[in-house]
Amino acid sequence: MNVGAEVLCIGTELLLGEILNSNAQYLAQQLALLGVPHFYQTVVGDNPDRIHQALAIAASRSNLIITTGGLGPTPDDLTTEAIANFFDAPLEERPEIWERIQEMAAQTGRTLTANNRKQALLPKGADILPNPVGTAPGMVWEARPNLLILTFPGVPSELYPMWQQTASPLLKARNYGNGTFHSKVLLYWGIAESALATKVNHLFALQNPTVAPYANYGQARLRITARANSQEEAIALIAPVEAEILRLTGEFCYGADEDTLATVAGRLLQTSGQTLAVAESCTGGWLGETLTEVSGSSSYFLGGVISYSNDVKVDLLNVERQALDQYGAVSEIVAQQMAIGVKTKLHSDWGISITGIAGPSGGTDAKPVGLVYVGIAHPDGKVEAIELRFSPSRGRNWIRKATVMSALDLFRKRFVMIG
Amino acid sequence: MNVGAEVLCIGTELLLGEILNSNAQYLAQQLALLGVPHFYQTVVGDNPDRIHQALAIAASRSNLIITTGGLGPTPDDLTTEAIANFFDAPLEERPEIWERIQEMAAQTGRTLTANNRKQALLPKGADILPNPVGTAPGMVWEARPNLLILTFPGVPSELYPMWQQTASPLLKARNYGNGTFHSKVLLYWGIAESALATKVNHLFALQNPTVAPYANYGQARLRITARANSQEEAIALIAPVEAEILRLTGEFCYGADEDTLATVAGRLLQTSGQTLAVAESCTGGWLGETLTEVSGSSSYFLGGVISYSNDVKVDLLNVERQALDQYGAVSEIVAQQMAIGVKTKLHSDWGISITGIAGPSGGTDAKPVGLVYVGIAHPDGKVEAIELRFSPSRGRNWIRKATVMSALDLFRKRFVMIG
């Protein structure tokens, strides 16, 4: 048949179960977006014979082989060498790769070893697949007629930009895809995947565009995917379905595609010229961290107080000692006082506070693990506290992450209501 | 060779990237625990020809084939039929399976369709692999001499108990495991994978235990894996190799296995009864978030100040306005003043501060993106600032994450030096 892509993941750590093969999913999604048929995924360890055998099988049934892993500088990084061997091509050092490795090392004051030089080798005839993030580039190589090989490092943060910047445009340009796929992903908070699916159940039978639900870290999503001859055509197919979905579920939808709750909140603040400060207890700084993931957030985010201990709540946020004694740190009134406190101390327009019990210890019958209060102090002096309850079985970090997301979602809704 | 396990995952949803192949990781971990050699993983879609071909390849190179997926009642669930076809065995209905399917449907008031009856079929000669959770059982089948086949549904919540209750004891009883594998993973910060590999290069040739390097989010690791008849024996094999590795690389090693820099720092503080507070600029709360990932961190972590704007540095941390004007927010002196400020304001024993340029904007020739200062205020009043430089090409969030890790590692080293 010899048409279609095969993903070949190389790494003993995968066969020992030490890491989850998220690269295979990413590449599968990306190939689907491009409309490239994808029939096989294989995983082998860092073993030359088995890599050779896997290449032989892949080369016999696929016309596009995408490898991940084995491009590092250590002796068990064997991918490039194994590919060169399999296709009987000599390895050549590429001066431009070696220069870049030396440059990157110089920037960070790192000493290079002989091992590093190996990363500058590619089979004769192969092109460099640039790695904008790390030292190891991949290759783009038509190893024989009708057989293209792309290699990537195993590190996802390097693989993603290499795919987006080079591999994806290249496959498009060479017409590997079967038409164009275009997707729009609608992002939700505050509704479970199953409840969301029920609301738009009648749309799952559509053929073009298709509508599919999925969840990621507790966030429900709907993906609308159209196949067409051009991106414009695909977008036109998606538009009416998107409108119908938003009519049914719009109140829970906070954005689409690359949006995050932090970029959405940030855009609202930036547009209005208002500022925000945060006071965090159980999340320990996670809300601040999330807001500052966005480059340029310094124009609206002033900072905050991590008031993990009660003394810090009193000393830095002017929470009343009596409120702590009478109602406890995890209470509506303390959440309100924290939000007002941080807004006042930092002279911001808005204040958001978080206080809760992330567990696994510290819960009581009256205040179980998963109980959280989010306080919001508004520009007009109004302050409110919203109670959230998460299942204790979700675990400490899930509860903390969901709290941060919920706080941003509540803030977004309040802002829109007022603005 | 014909010795070793092959995991064959069947499902078009995997090839479309709609779900993450967590079953492959689970099975890999479980096989490693049992000491069953595991050399290949393959993924194919719900297509009879390609399932047939994948079975042919697996049967030629492995003596244990474990499939996941394709056991459901729909027309694209093809696994059982494909296996029976491949080995030329007729399918037989097993009354006990059909009875259980009917029982379960009655319990939940579900109506059965003709499709469901298909789930009661198994190849002649195969045993039932019971499914305590769902309707579809798997099979245990010695399809030919020295070739055992186990099939599982794709749903993890069904696969796990089927593995634990039946498959794992069965493989143990039949001596598929070749002794026991046991691993110890040593964790590093502040040294690149390649430099680490160079230091212990002579150990990579060892056969038992083996030593292998790998990196994860910029953290280098060394895995020592021993095969033995018992866990105790394996641990004894690992010990001298671990000691030799630590002799050569100990200064960079912060822990092992489940340790994180946050748990290591937390343990040091907890043991000594000392407390910590943090002042964060470019990381926006990430250091606090990381410290509070650890349950029980409230006994040593008091909280901190997210001083994203200069005003907050002055107002809440007593940083001198003059120092900001003269040296800039990203400077040694401001890092020191932030660390002293947060230690003083929060009455902690230690203060850690972070100020830097995470980018992508905000860099200059004198202060490029990736320049960071970490301040550490010691219990005895001493304060220092350490300059870090990261490559701008790593991107905003990599730089922020690496900064948090570096700050914890620096703190750990200072603490150990003093303590």
Side-chain angles (χ1 to χ4, degrees):
Chain A
M1 94 192 46
N2 277 18
V3 63
E6 174 146 0
V7 172
L8 172 55
C9 302
I10 298 169
T12 301
E13 66 277 18
L14 289 164
L15 295 178
L16 290 172
E18 285 172 357
I19 57 172
L20 194 54
N21 195 355
S22 60
N23 286 336
Q25 182 185 27
Y26 176 81
L27 291 169
Q29 287 171 337
Q30 294 297 318
L31 289 167
L33 278 177
L34 291 175
V36 177
H38 169 213
F39 297 127
Y40 304 97
Q41 293 176 349
T42 308
V43 179
V44 290
D46 303 309
N47 172 289
D49 292 341
R50 287 192 284 270
I51 298 172
H52 188 95
Q53 192 214 80
L55 283 169
I57 294 171
S60 75
R61 66 188 180 186
S62 303
N63 66 348
L64 172 62
I65 302 177
I66 300 172
T67 73
T68 69
L71 300 190
T74 73
D76 66 351
D77 287 304
L78 301 166
T79 303
T80 306
E81 202 180 334
I83 291 173
N85 278 349
F86 179 77
F87 292 102
D88 266 332
L91 285 168
E92 296 174 336
E93 179 170 306
R94 305 300 168 97
E96 61 269 51
I97 304 178
W98 179 231
E99 269 165 36
R100 181 166 144 80
I101 293 174
Q102 289 173 301
E103 252 172 52
M104 283 191 72
Q107 277 172 7
T108 55
R110 215 153 35 84
T111 316
L112 290 172
T113 65
N115 275 340
N116 290 101
R117 194 133 190 175
K118 178 173 112 167
Q119 294 188 294
L121 299 174
L122 285 188
K124 187 178 159 86
D127 291 324
I128 297 171
L129 202 175
N131 179 342
V133 178
T135 52
M139 72 170 90
V140 177
W141 188 26
E142 187 125 10
R144 29 164 111 129
N146 200 32
L147 179 58
L148 184 68
I149 296 181
L150 303 176
T151 64
F152 293 87
V155 183
S157 61
E158 301 184 7
L159 185 149
Y160 299 167
M162 289 170 74
W163 180 271
Q164 295 297 342
Q165 291 173 24
T166 305
S168 172
L170 180 141
L171 293 174
K172 254 188 224 166
R174 297 199 188 183
N175 290 315
Y176 271 81
N178 190 352
T180 290
F181 280 75
H182 187 76
S183 282
K184 179 149 194 179
V185 177
L186 300 177
L187 306 166
Y188 293 83
W189 188 255
I191 183 168
E193 186 190 1
S194 56
L196 182 63
T198 306
K199 284 184 190 289
V200 295
N201 207 23
H202 59 297
L203 299 176
F204 296 150
L206 291 179
Q207 292 297 313
N208 193 19
T210 58
V211 177
Y214 64 110
N216 202 355
Y217 297 107
Q219 275 195 82
R221 298 166 182 221
L222 288 174
R223 184 181 53 231
I224 316 168
T225 306
R227 179 190 289 202
N229 289 319
S230 70
Q231 178 148 330
E232 293 67 37
E233 249 180 68
I235 290 172
L237 285 168
I238 287 172
V241 177
E242 180 186 353
E244 169 70 357
I245 292 175
L246 289 178
R247 190 180 68 78
L248 295 165
T249 66
E251 59 181 312
F252 300 101
C253 179
Y254 69 81
D257 298 329
E258 303 304 310
D259 287 338
T260 66
L261 280 162
T263 61
V264 170
R267 221 153 38 218
L268 293 171
L269 287 161
Q270 192 139 41
T271 310
S272 67
Q274 294 184 335
T275 58
L276 172 66
V278 299
E280 300 186 60
S281 188
C282 66
T283 47
W286 204 337
L287 178 55
E289 186 278 310
T290 304
L291 283 159
T292 57
E293 270 172 20
V294 183
S295 176
S297 47
S298 59
S299 70
Y300 50 82
F301 179 64
L302 302 183
V305 172
I306 305 171
S307 55
Y308 215 55
S309 77
N310 279 351
D311 285 347
V312 176
K313 293 182 183 75
V314 173
D315 295 348
L316 272 76
L317 295 172
N318 296 332
V319 170
E320 291 165 16
R321 181 78 63 182
Q322 194 219 327
L324 287 166
D325 292 342
Q326 192 172 345
Y327 302 102
V330 180
S331 62
E332 205 169 295
I333 181 93
V334 168
Q336 290 176 352
Q337 292 187 358
M338 285 170 66
I340 297 173
V342 80
K343 175 185 180 241
T344 308
K345 269 279 172 83
L346 274 73
H347 312 292
S348 59
D349 297 305
W350 293 83
I352 305 180
S353 71
I354 290 173
T355 179
I357 303 159
S361 59
T364 63
D365 283 353
K367 295 189 176 176
V369 169
L371 175 66
V372 176
Y373 292 92
V374 172
I376 301 184
H378 294 239
D380 63 2
K382 185 185 152 196
V383 62
E384 57 179 329
I386 301 100
E387 183 182 299
L388 305 172
R389 285 177 186 267
F390 300 103
S391 165
S393 64
R394 290 290 189 173
R396 179 177 181 83
N397 276 321
W398 196 98
I399 292 170
R400 285 162 26 106
K401 169 93 179 175
T403 295
V404 168
M405 302 289 278
S406 299
L408 287 169
D409 192 52
L410 287 165
F411 170 72
R412 168 186 81 82
K413 287 178 175 161
R414 294 303 179 283
F415 197 103
V416 172
M417 262 165 36
I418 289 168
Chain B
M1 93 190 51
N2 277 17
V3 62
E6 174 145 0
V7 172
L8 173 55
C9 301
I10 298 168
T12 301
E13 67 277 18
L14 289 164
L15 295 178
L16 290 173
E18 284 171 359
I19 58 171
L20 194 54
N21 196 354
S22 59
N23 287 336
Q25 184 185 26
Y26 176 81
L27 292 170
Q29 287 171 337
Q30 295 296 318
L31 289 166
L33 278 177
L34 292 175
V36 176
H38 169 215
F39 297 128
Y40 304 97
Q41 293 176 349
T42 308
V43 179
V44 291
D46 304 310
N47 173 288
D49 292 340
R50 287 191 286 270
I51 298 173
H52 193 276
Q53 191 214 78
L55 284 169
I57 293 172
S60 74
R61 65 188 180 186
S62 304
N63 67 349
L64 172 61
I65 302 177
I66 301 171
T67 73
T68 69
L71 301 188
T74 73
D76 63 354
D77 287 305
L78 302 166
T79 302
T80 306
E81 200 179 336
I83 291 172
N85 278 350
F86 180 77
F87 292 101
D88 265 331
L91 284 168
E92 296 175 338
E93 181 171 303
R94 306 298 168 98
E96 62 269 50
I97 304 179
W98 181 230
E99 269 165 38
R100 182 167 143 79
I101 292 173
Q102 288 173 302
E103 253 172 53
M104 284 191 68
Q107 277 169 7
T108 54
R110 215 151 34 86
T111 317
L112 290 171
T113 65
N115 274 340
N116 292 102
R117 194 137 190 171
K118 177 171 109 166
Q119 294 188 292
L121 301 174
L122 285 188
K124 187 178 159 86
D127 292 325
I128 297 172
L129 201 175
N131 180 342
V133 179
T135 53
M139 71 171 89
V140 178
W141 189 26
E142 186 126 9
R144 12 164 125 132
N146 199 33
L147 179 58
L148 184 68
I149 297 181
L150 303 177
T151 65
F152 293 87
V155 183
S157 60
E158 301 184 6
L159 184 150
Y160 300 167
M162 290 171 72
W163 180 270
Q164 295 296 344
Q165 292 173 24
T166 306
S168 171
L170 180 141
L171 292 174
K172 254 188 225 166
R174 297 198 188 183
N175 290 315
Y176 268 82
N178 192 348
T180 291
F181 280 79
H182 187 76
S183 281
K184 180 149 193 178
V185 177
L186 299 177
L187 307 166
Y188 292 84
W189 188 257
I191 183 168
E193 188 191 0
S194 56
L196 181 62
T198 305
K199 284 183 191 289
V200 295
N201 210 19
H202 59 297
L203 299 175
F204 296 150
L206 290 180
Q207 292 298 312
N208 192 21
T210 58
V211 177
Y214 63 109
N216 202 357
Y217 296 106
Q219 276 195 81
R221 299 167 182 219
L222 288 174
R223 182 183 54 232
I224 316 167
T225 306
R227 179 189 290 200
N229 290 319
S230 69
Q231 180 149 329
E232 293 67 36
E233 248 181 68
I235 291 171
L237 284 169
I238 288 171
V241 177
E242 181 186 354
E244 169 70 357
I245 292 174
L246 289 177
R247 190 179 69 77
L248 296 164
T249 66
E251 59 181 313
F252 300 102
C253 178
Y254 69 81
D257 298 330
E258 302 304 311
D259 287 338
T260 65
L261 280 163
T263 61
V264 169
R267 220 151 41 216
L268 292 171
L269 287 162
Q270 191 139 40
T271 308
S272 66
Q274 295 184 332
T275 59
L276 172 66
V278 300
E280 301 186 60
S281 188
C282 66
T283 47
W286 204 336
L287 178 56
E289 186 278 309
T290 304
L291 284 159
T292 58
E293 271 172 21
V294 183
S295 176
S297 47
S298 59
S299 69
Y300 50 82
F301 179 65
L302 302 183
V305 172
I306 305 171
S307 54
Y308 215 56
S309 77
N310 279 351
D311 286 347
V312 175
K313 292 183 183 74
V314 173
D315 294 348
L316 271 76
L317 295 173
N318 296 332
V319 170
E320 291 166 15
R321 182 76 64 182
Q322 195 218 329
L324 288 166
D325 292 344
Q326 193 172 344
Y327 302 101
V330 180
S331 62
E332 207 168 293
I333 182 93
V334 169
Q336 290 177 351
Q337 292 188 0
M338 286 170 65
I340 297 173
V342 80
K343 176 185 179 236
T344 307
K345 268 280 172 83
L346 273 73
H347 311 292
S348 59
D349 297 305
W350 294 83
I352 305 180
S353 70
I354 290 173
T355 179
I357 303 160
S361 60
T364 63
D365 283 352
K367 297 190 176 177
V369 168
L371 175 67
V372 176
Y373 292 92
V374 172
I376 301 185
H378 294 238
D380 63 2
K382 185 187 151 195
V383 63
E384 57 180 329
I386 301 99
E387 182 182 300
L388 304 173
R389 285 177 185 266
F390 301 103
S391 167
S393 64
R394 289 290 184 178
R396 179 177 182 82
N397 275 322
W398 195 98
I399 292 170
R400 283 161 29 104
K401 169 95 178 173
T403 295
V404 168
M405 302 290 277
S406 299
L408 287 170
D409 191 52
L410 288 164
F411 169 71
R412 168 186 81 82
K413 287 179 175 161
R414 293 305 179 283
F415 197 102
V416 172
M417 260 164 36
I418 290 168

